[in-house]
Amino acid sequence: MIVLSYASMEELHTLRKKIENRMQQAYLDENLDIPYLDDYKLLLLQTLFGQANLPDKQQTDYIVTIMLIQMALDTHDLVIRTTKADETADERVDRQLTVLAGNYYSALYYKILAELEDIDMVAQLATAIKEINEQKMALYYDTSSAAEFFRILGRMEGTLFYAAASPFIKTEDLEPLVDYFIISRLHQEEFMNEPTPLFLRLSKILEQDQSTLTVTEAINQELEEARARLTKNLHSMPQVFAAATRKLLLQGKRQEELFLEEG
Amino acid sequence: MTDIIRAEHPVLEDASVQLLRAGGKRIRPVFVLLSGKFGTYELPRIQTVAVTLELIHMASLVHDDVIDDAELRRGKPTVKAKWDNKVAMYAGDYIFARSLEYLSRLKEPRAHQILSQTIVELCIGEVEQIRDKYRIEQHVKDYLRRIRRKTAILIAASSRIGAIASGAPLAYERALYRYGYYVGMSYQIIDDVLDFTSSEADLGKPAGGDLLQGNMTLPALLACEDAAFKERLMEAFRNPEQLNQEKLQPFIQHIKSSDAIERSLAVSDRYLQKAYQELDKLPPTRDRNTLKQIARHIGKRSS
């Protein structure tokens, strides 16, 4: 949970509810876990559109749309590489619905923007989705070191945000936020019960690279480095995003303290 | 279309054109192009819609092959078989995004609203298909609702959006939508019949695949009016993991030799008659005649 003022918490909670309501589909809800909804990305989008002087409804629709795309892409990432020969009936339904849930969330993105008659935003976000899939292919096929893996990961995680931000802000000014996206994605990975297929790929890369690090060690090392870079770059990013960034950094610190206390 | 789905990553590019190379009937673009003739026909505009509709259909097929764990489509290895599920997921997402990006040239909000609503319904239709697998106790109405979402509405939307892109009168647009819908229903019923009656060589995949996947299509549902057959099928569906082509042969043979095939074709024909009636609402042009011939061809097709 993000450390925020009561008012901001309320707003985030309302946004979460709106996204969850949009996603509802009886049979999917019954059979699949609710996809991870990244509060840090939500916070960043809220900040972006909040300062863009857009009507409230448009702000909310944009945020809901982008988060739906994010969840569509994340859901498709959960489809396993090869179907098991001894797959059980439950595993089969899970695999099939995972494919369809991603398609459904992605169709909703198009529907919301079509209702808004915002065809330019449909195109802008579609271009970002294309880029993300190119980056995913690079992660799965071409990446040969953990450093490269995290670099592409940060770029990939930020692609939707940068596409949404480009009409309002010079995207070069948002470069330092790439570490924000790395950190938020690594928090997401920590939240999962088991490694997602993306991070199983990291394990393979470490093995091929003959690294002595385990996946957890590599993640912790990257978290530490990304936090240091982000702290250093805090003053060079648009101030409006510095507040969200501090919250992300503070959250990391709190988690470490908690870990030390518990440890 | 190959140029439109060109990707930077070589595997993504190969995977994206894999299905394109395998060919296909391209019925959706044909409906777009012909519907566009009932307004002001501007080829680049209509072509944009035609290409998009085919790409959206292709993207869904690439994902369907992951859902069905299919090795072959149109006689060629599927993307998931040639590479893996991951590549198929990314290629499908890439093609879908590219198709929306491409269609964004068409600044007709109503066309986008109709298409997006259609895609949402298509997804719900597929989810319901999974829900209804191996469920013998279902009504023909359930099946018809499923194929409406699975096939008919995308063909209907193709016709309607073709009409919108050409600025055709609203009455023609509606008639074309309904024509596409009825033809789509007929087309899917025949597809489901052919899954039982065609050879593996004609289908490009093993025959009886629907039943093996637990999909209760119209011939199977009608055959289940025979209580003994229904009981035997129910027993076989109790352990889907143990089902295979060989075990299903007696069921396929029974369906083929019963009147279920003939009755299914009669239902398909009723939809075709409705499609013809919609065509009567259009001006008597060569294109209307072509739409009639297509409907007739669909009614007679054997592959």
Side-chain angles (χ1 to χ4, degrees):
Chain A
M1 186 55 69
I2 296 183
V3 184
L4 286 176
S5 68
Y6 182 73
S8 311
M9 285 275 288
E10 277 290 299
E11 280 172 34
L12 272 191
H13 181 72
T14 309
L15 275 171
R16 281 187 78 101
K17 271 273 156 258
K18 283 190 170 148
I19 297 164
E20 284 164 7
N21 288 344
R22 270 286 186 170
M23 289 163 60
Q24 266 179 2
Q25 205 289 327
Y27 195 66
L28 291 177
D29 297 346
E30 213 176 285
N31 289 279
L32 290 180
D33 292 335
I34 299 170
Y36 180 85
L37 209 161
D38 187 340
D39 279 337
Y40 294 108
K41 277 191 181 144
L42 203 53
L43 181 62
L44 216 52
L45 289 170
Q46 194 190 29
T47 310
L48 168 70
F49 293 120
Q51 58 86 55
N53 278 332
L54 296 173
D56 283 357
K57 181 177 180 321
Q58 194 177 359
Q59 278 187 43
T60 307
D61 283 341
Y62 277 171
I63 295 172
V64 170
T65 302
I66 294 164
M67 291 309 286
L68 281 170
I69 298 176
Q70 188 64 59
M71 283 186 288
L73 295 167
D74 290 349
T75 302
H76 278 173
D77 257 337
L78 299 176
V79 175
I80 54 168
R81 194 166 198 149
T82 315
T83 308
K84 291 195 289 184
D86 58 348
E87 187 180 53
T88 65
D90 284 348
E91 285 171 336
R92 183 175 60 235
V93 170
D94 192 85
R95 171 175 54 78
Q96 294 171 326
L97 292 182
T98 304
V99 176
L100 292 175
N103 289 355
Y104 180 61
Y105 305 146
S106 162
L108 289 175
Y109 122 71
Y110 183 30
K111 187 174 186 292
I112 295 172
L113 292 180
E115 279 166 1
L116 275 181
E117 303 192 359
D118 198 340
I119 311 308
D120 291 337
M121 191 56 119
V122 171
Q124 236 161 302
L125 294 177
T127 306
I129 299 170
K130 266 175 43 195
E131 276 171 34
I132 292 169
N133 283 288
E134 293 268 14
Q135 289 154 343
K136 283 183 179 184
M137 291 299 291
L139 269 186
Y140 275 96
Y141 280 91
D142 308 328
T143 318
S144 55
S145 69
E148 200 185 353
F149 175 91
F150 289 119
R151 187 180 56 75
I152 299 174
L153 183 75
R155 184 69 37 212
M156 186 175 91
E157 290 292 314
T159 299
L160 275 174
F161 176 79
Y162 290 128
S166 63
F168 311 108
I169 300 175
K170 275 200 294 181
T171 38
E172 302 92 89
D173 295 345
L174 300 174
E175 276 299 308
L177 282 173
V178 75
D179 288 306
Y180 184 103
F181 293 109
I182 292 178
I183 297 168
S184 77
R185 181 63 184 84
L186 295 181
H187 282 326
Q188 178 177 343
E189 193 62 22
E190 284 173 336
F191 177 85
M192 299 293 177
N193 291 332
E194 50 188 58
T196 58
L198 195 66
F199 282 77
L200 291 177
R201 171 71 191 140
L202 175 61
S203 149
K204 201 103 192 154
I205 292 167
L206 291 169
E207 193 186 305
Q208 282 165 354
D209 201 25
Q210 294 178 335
S211 168
T212 52
L213 296 177
T214 63
V215 171
T216 312
E217 286 165 346
I219 288 177
N220 288 339
Q221 187 178 306
E222 181 60 26
L223 264 175
E224 205 175 303
E225 288 171 12
R227 277 193 201 121
R229 288 192 300 264
L230 197 56
T231 309
K232 196 175 142 206
N233 289 326
L234 205 51
H235 58 278
S236 62
M237 66 174 73
Q239 271 315 292
V240 65
F241 296 110
T245 304
R246 281 195 193 93
K247 278 163 194 152
L248 176 79
L249 290 167
L250 181 65
Q251 181 67 13
K253 215 169 164 228
R254 275 171 60 89
Q255 272 174 351
E256 266 170 23
E257 282 166 7
L258 277 173
F259 180 74
L260 285 173
E261 281 165 23
E262 284 167 12
Chain B
M1 280 202 285
T2 313
D3 286 341
I4 292 163
I5 51 173
R6 206 162 284 286
E8 276 174 34
H9 197 280
V11 178
L12 189 60
E13 164 134 1
D14 270 1
S16 298
V17 295
Q18 168 79 3
L19 185 57
L20 201 58
R21 285 199 202 103
K25 299 181 191 79
R26 315 272 190 246
I27 58 167
R28 291 153 196 86
V30 167
F31 286 132
V32 173
L33 294 169
L34 285 169
S35 299
K37 297 274 185 152
F38 293 89
T40 310
Y41 194 81
E42 286 173 37
L43 185 61
R45 211 170 140 83
I46 309 290
Q47 213 170 32
T48 301
V49 179
V51 166
T52 302
L53 265 296
E54 185 62 8
L55 289 180
I56 288 174
H57 174 60
M58 268 180 50
S60 77
L61 293 184
V62 173
H63 284 175
D64 282 354
D65 291 333
V66 176
I67 293 170
D68 297 339
D69 202 26
E71 297 294 309
L72 290 175
R73 182 174 285 276
R74 297 168 186 161
K76 301 262 164 48
T78 57
V79 175
K80 82 112 220 156
K82 191 166 175 187
W83 289 276
D84 56 40
N85 288 346
K86 285 261 162 232
V87 175
M89 293 316 300
Y90 299 156
D93 283 345
Y94 181 87
I95 299 169
F96 180 64
R98 179 63 186 117
S99 63
L100 296 190
E101 185 187 50
Y102 191 63
L103 189 67
S104 66
R105 298 163 174 205
L106 184 74
K107 309 290 182 201
E108 289 278 357
R110 210 157 58 84
H112 290 279
Q113 285 157 2
I114 291 165
L115 183 59
S116 61
Q117 178 60 32
T118 303
I119 299 170
V120 168
E121 287 206 37
L122 206 113
C123 292
I124 296 173
E126 290 214 66
V127 169
E128 287 178 351
Q129 179 163 303
I130 306 285
R131 183 196 62 194
D132 293 342
K133 275 186 178 186
Y134 302 105
R135 191 163 70 84
I136 307 258
E137 294 294 351
Q138 53 178 295
H139 198 269
V140 168
K141 269 187 192 163
D142 296 321
Y143 163 81
L144 294 176
R145 195 173 48 231
R146 232 173 18 241
I147 65 166
R148 173 190 174 274
R149 280 178 158 156
K150 182 182 159 186
T151 308
I153 55 168
L154 188 57
I155 296 179
S158 304
S159 309
R160 187 172 199 172
I161 299 169
I164 292 174
S166 71
L170 196 61
Y172 295 173
E173 182 196 313
R174 286 187 178 144
L176 285 162
Y177 178 80
R178 284 192 290 261
Y179 160 82
Y181 170 73
Y182 292 134
V183 165
M185 293 295 282
S186 166
Y187 181 86
Q188 187 59 53
I189 294 169
I190 293 182
D191 223 41
D192 294 340
V193 166
L194 291 174
D195 193 64
F196 287 105
T197 58
S198 283
S199 64
E200 184 169 344
D202 283 339
L203 284 173
K205 58 185 180 184
D210 285 333
L211 204 59
L212 187 62
Q213 296 274 350
N215 287 331
M216 290 296 286
T217 58
L218 189 57
L221 282 170
L222 293 177
C224 278
E225 286 174 12
D226 173 343
F229 173 81
K230 184 178 176 180
E231 188 55 43
R232 286 201 306 276
L233 188 59
M234 206 180 270
E235 188 56 41
F237 274 6
R238 268 194 196 113
N239 296 301
E241 287 95 343
Q242 287 166 21
L243 279 181
N244 57 37
Q245 206 72 25
E246 202 187 327
K247 283 187 183 158
L248 277 177
Q249 266 317 305
F251 295 99
I252 295 169
Q253 284 312 318
H254 178 97
I255 292 170
K256 277 168 82 170
S257 60
S258 72
D259 65 354
I261 298 293
E262 209 176 302
R263 288 170 64 201
S264 300
L265 291 174
V267 176
S268 160
D269 194 54
R270 282 209 290 279
Y271 280 111
L272 276 189
Q273 297 309 321
K274 287 185 175 186
Y276 294 144
Q277 284 166 19
E278 292 302 325
L279 290 181
D280 290 341
K281 297 171 186 166
L282 296 173
T285 59
R286 213 174 66 177
D287 302 302
R288 185 180 81 164
N289 205 31
T290 310
L291 286 172
K292 199 167 204 164
Q293 282 171 8
I294 292 174
R296 200 170 295 139
H297 173 76
I298 283 174
K300 286 183 184 159
R301 78 195 173 104
S302 57
S303 64

